Amino acid sequence: MDDMPGRTPDSLPALRAGARRAGFTLSCEERTGNLLALLAATRPGGRVLELGTGAGEGTAWLLSGMDSASRLVTVELDEAVQSIAREQFGSDPRVTFVAADGGAWLEEYRGDPFDLVFADTWPGKFTHLERALALVAPGGTYLIDDLLPQPGWPQGHGAAVERLLAEIEDRADFRTLRMDWSSGLLAAVRTAPAGSR
């Protein structure tokens, strides 16, 4: 069975061209993107958080699954790279772009929780994990990718991935699923109020 998506967001070629020009090589893999679109589509009027806009491929997939009442907040440290996504989606009223350090944003955010949190960068995954998980609404999903060995992983990163997976899977307030697929994914769904252990 071919597990590549049958349809892709129309904006992907322009986003990929912009990423190449910027030398950005860490864009969302297509199968992960298809899963993002599917998860976004399960929550009409949903609130979505993306940590790590990059050049906007994940953003494109999320927006392709969201309905008109859904809202996306996407956070990126590198404003120059994020500008590629802003150019494509800046006029879409469903998305709010934040140019900031993801860890600092997580520490300062005091708004409503999110139905879907996609942590595609270190803050919210390898740092500030507790804060990111606290922002997942009851029944909401936390998704992380790039858990299988990747080119350019720093020495010892495999052990950091295993510690991260064990920490999330040890929680009583989330139901988890590891996926040895795409770039390596973990999905966790909140089954109890934030802070329950």
Side-chain angles (χ1 to χ4, degrees), residues 128-142:
H128 303 85
L129 175 64
E130 190 66 35
R131 186 66 187 133
L133 292 175
L135 293 181
V136 179
T141 301
Y142 169 83

Side-chain angles (χ1 to χ4, degrees), residues 21-68:
R21 286 192 301 274
F24 184 78
T25 60
L26 302 173
S27 290
C28 180
E29 198 270 343
E30 281 195 4
R31 290 171 296 175
T32 300
N34 201 31
L35 178 60
L36 289 172
L38 179 122
L39 290 172
T42 68
R43 301 307 283 253
R47 294 177 41 76
V48 180
L49 172 62
E50 178 184 36
L51 297 167
T53 314
E57 285 197 41
T59 308
W61 284 103
L62 288 165
L63 289 170
S64 75
M66 290 166 48
D67 68 6
S68 62

Side-chain angles (χ1 to χ4, degrees), residues 57-181:
E57 285 197 41
T59 308
W61 284 103
L62 288 165
L63 289 170
S64 75
M66 290 166 48
D67 68 6
S68 62
S70 295
R71 295 295 178 261
L72 167 64
V73 175
T74 182
V75 183
E76 172 62 44
L77 176 62
D78 188 334
E79 194 167 356
V81 171
Q82 190 187 60
S83 70
I84 299 163
R86 284 179 186 263
E87 184 177 324
Q88 284 294 313
F89 305 118
S91 62
D92 190 324
R94 299 174 298 165
V95 61
T96 299
F97 289 98
V98 178
D101 174 83
W105 185 89
L106 284 166
E107 290 172 1
E108 294 168 8
Y109 178 76
R110 296 294 179 263
D112 292 332
F114 295 89
D115 300 301
L116 172 60
V117 174
F118 176 44
D120 192 22
T121 189
W122 282 57
K125 190 188 314 188
F126 294 105
T127 70
H128 303 85
L129 175 64
E130 190 66 35
R131 186 66 187 133
L133 292 175
L135 293 181
V136 179
T141 301
Y142 169 83
L143 182 72
I144 52 177
D145 64 348
D146 300 332
L147 300 174
L148 293 174
Q150 307 289 316
W153 268 15
Q155 187 170 356
H157 189 62
V161 168
E162 287 305 315
R163 283 193 301 274
L164 169 67
L165 294 173
E167 184 175 349
I168 297 170
E169 290 175 329
D170 191 44
R171 297 181 66 102
D173 52 345
F174 281 87
R175 182 71 181 253
T176 62
L177 172 66
R178 287 191 194 195
M179 292 171 269
D180 186 12
W181 174 78

